[in-house]
């Protein structure tokens, strides 16, 4: 598993673009992306690796939406 910093740098753009697709609002997409990574940091110990990290983050973003 990569460090949180590496995960953030690798997946930030993907999560932001996904949130932007959902909301069509840059402000909302930024908020959702921020909340997504905050939740991911809180729940990193529960990630079991059964899916791609990006998929996991996008499902958190969808729930945040």
């Amino acid at each position: 598993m990569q460090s949180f910093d590496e995960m953030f740098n690798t997946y930030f753009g993907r999560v932001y673009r996904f949130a932007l697709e959902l909301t069509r609002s840059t402000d909302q997409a930024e908020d959702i992306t921020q909340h997504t990574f905050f939740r991911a940091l809180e729940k990193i110990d529960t990630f079991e690796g059964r899916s791609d990290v990006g998929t996991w983050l996008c499902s958190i973003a969808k729930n945040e939406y």
Side-chain angles (χ1 to χ4, degrees):
M1 180 80 175
Q2 51 191 216
S3 74
F4 186 80
D5 287 342
E6 291 171 326
M7 182 176 64
F8 179 84
N9 291 329
T10 300
Y11 294 102
F12 176 86
R14 179 176 170 183
V15 172
Y16 176 77
R17 285 187 304 274
F18 177 74
L20 187 57
E21 251 183 68
L22 289 173
T23 65
R24 301 288 184 214
S25 162
T26 55
D27 289 338
Q28 285 183 321
E30 289 171 6
D31 288 345
I32 288 171
T33 302
Q34 179 181 357
H35 288 270
T36 296
F37 281 97
F38 179 73
R39 295 276 181 245
L41 184 58
E42 285 183 327
K43 302 290 185 181
I44 196 74
D45 293 339
T46 65
F47 179 68
E48 297 175 355
R50 289 187 277 161
S51 66
D52 174 69
V53 173
T55 303
W56 178 62
L57 290 168
C58 285
S59 64
I60 294 172
K62 184 179 175 187
N63 290 335
E64 287 295 318
Y65 173 67

